[in-house]
Amino acid sequence: MKPKAAKQIELETGALSRKEIVAILDALPLDITFVGSRDTVRYFNRLGKRIFPRTQAVIGRKVQNCHPPKSLPKVEEILSGFRSGKRDSAEFWINMKNRLVHIRYFAVRDSKGRYLGCLEVTQDITEIKKLEGEKRLL
Amino acid sequence: MKPKAAKQIELETGALSRKEIVAILDALPLDITFVGSRDTVRYFNRLGKRIFPRTQAVIGRKVQNCHPPKSLPKVEEILSGFRSGKRDSAEFWINMKNRLVHIRYFAVRDSKGRYLGCLEVTQDITEIKKLEGEKRLL
């Protein structure tokens, strides 16, 4: 018997099932966390495989409660810049256990430019920095 | 009047609206294309902003028709390795107009390890390669 086709979610440049979306986000070669327009953590990928581990307990938490108090002014400055439209990204990079970790924040907006939230993207760039020359498919 | 809350799609480590999923995928600092388990293109992000441009016309096309014939054996080898479980990724890097472009393919599997498709990830790593030292949030 042919299995019933999974319900497709329309994404404007294609359509995917819920299961495919989950698996694609987890297959990305970077860790993401999404904080919604009300500053609460709404989603993260790569459970159990992250550079900075998270558990489901973080979902719903105010982003202001996810940072040490001394970094809060900078966090608030970035978020308010995103919210007002003054800025679209912020980036940092740190050494951690001999790895170079690139941490970026991006404003997430809908097609009309309305602020939907902030995407944190964390990527171990240690190996990427070593790439030289070319390695082509052919 | 308070706007009606958008329907949430459960993603195991959080829940997002359809609109948020679209905007998050488009905010990623890399271009992705997803080819499903039947080798057809199902989704791509960053319409109009990609390193290798695509249009909606590619949706539904067989991946075998997206490559020049001479690279097809290599494409088929990667896909069949993903399908059989023998391999999980493949990577290439090329110079293009003085940019270094990193092209990776990842097997996408569900939680039971079943093959859902192949994710192509293309990233301009020119600026990342220049990062030195640290730039911390504090």
Side-chain angles (χ1 to χ4, degrees):
Chain A
M1 217 169 71
K2 212 175 156 188
K4 209 175 117 193
K7 195 180 153 226
Q8 299 289 294
I9 298 158
E10 274 298 331
L11 299 174
E12 293 163 38
T13 46
L16 298 168
S17 70
R18 195 194 66 85
K19 194 206 265 191
E20 287 169 335
I21 293 171
V22 168
I24 288 169
L25 289 168
D26 283 337
L28 289 173
L30 32 77
D31 299 349
I32 65 173
T33 301
F34 177 67
V35 168
S37 60
R38 291 171 194 188
D39 292 352
T40 58
V41 179
R42 299 277 313 286
Y43 169 80
F44 65 92
N45 72 342
R46 296 171 61 79
L47 176 69
K49 294 182 286 178
R50 299 175 60 89
I51 301 167
F52 302 110
R54 301 198 192 291
T55 68
Q56 271 100 338
V58 80
I59 303 295
R61 195 180 293 173
K62 276 270 171 193
V63 68
Q64 287 81 0
N65 298 331
C66 299
H67 286 269
K70 60 179 180 169
S71 68
L72 213 51
K74 188 73 192 165
V75 171
E76 295 279 16
E77 182 195 319
I78 293 169
L79 288 174
S80 91
F82 285 178
R83 203 177 286 279
S84 71
K86 265 189 207 149
R87 75 195 284 174
D88 285 315
S89 67
E91 68 170 343
F92 306 92
W93 53 97
I94 62 172
N95 283 298
M96 210 174 81
K97 301 174 197 157
N98 289 316
R99 312 295 295 177
L100 189 58
V101 178
H102 195 198
I103 304 163
R104 285 179 281 181
Y105 298 93
F106 297 97
V108 178
R109 306 187 201 280
D110 70 12
S111 54
K112 289 173 183 150
R114 279 180 295 225
Y115 181 69
L116 297 182
C118 168
L119 189 68
E120 180 189 69
V121 175
T122 306
Q123 186 174 20
D124 182 339
I125 57 171
T126 315
E127 302 308 320
I128 285 175
K129 278 183 58 78
K130 293 177 192 161
L131 297 179
E132 296 293 346
E134 291 196 316
K135 183 188 174 197
R136 304 186 73 99
L137 186 58
L138 283 179
Chain B
M1 217 170 69
K2 212 174 156 188
K4 209 175 118 192
K7 195 179 153 226
Q8 297 290 293
I9 297 159
E10 274 298 331
L11 299 175
E12 291 162 39
T13 44
L16 298 168
S17 70
R18 195 194 66 85
K19 193 206 263 189
E20 286 169 335
I21 292 170
V22 168
I24 288 169
L25 289 167
D26 283 337
L28 289 173
L30 30 77
D31 298 350
I32 65 173
T33 301
F34 178 66
V35 169
S37 60
R38 293 172 195 185
D39 292 353
T40 57
V41 179
R42 300 276 313 287
Y43 169 80
F44 66 92
N45 70 344
R46 296 171 61 79
L47 176 70
K49 294 183 287 179
R50 299 177 59 91
I51 300 167
F52 301 110
R54 300 197 191 293
T55 68
Q56 271 102 334
V58 80
I59 302 297
R61 195 179 295 173
K62 277 271 173 193
V63 66
Q64 288 81 1
N65 297 332
C66 300
H67 287 268
K70 60 180 179 171
S71 68
L72 213 52
K74 189 72 192 169
V75 171
E76 294 280 16
E77 183 196 319
I78 293 169
L79 288 174
S80 93
F82 285 178
R83 204 177 285 278
S84 70
K86 265 190 205 148
R87 76 194 286 174
D88 285 315
S89 66
E91 67 170 344
F92 306 93
W93 53 98
I94 62 172
N95 284 298
M96 212 175 81
K97 300 174 198 159
N98 288 318
R99 312 296 294 178
L100 189 58
V101 178
H102 194 199
I103 304 164
R104 286 180 280 182
Y105 298 92
F106 298 96
V108 178
R109 304 186 203 282
D110 70 11
S111 55
K112 289 174 182 149
R114 279 180 296 224
Y115 181 69
L116 296 183
C118 168
L119 189 68
E120 179 188 70
V121 175
T122 306
Q123 185 173 19
D124 181 339
I125 57 171
T126 315
E127 301 308 321
I128 285 176
K129 277 182 60 75
K130 293 177 192 162
L131 298 180
E132 297 294 344
E134 290 196 316
K135 184 189 172 195
R136 305 186 71 99
L137 185 57
L138 284 178

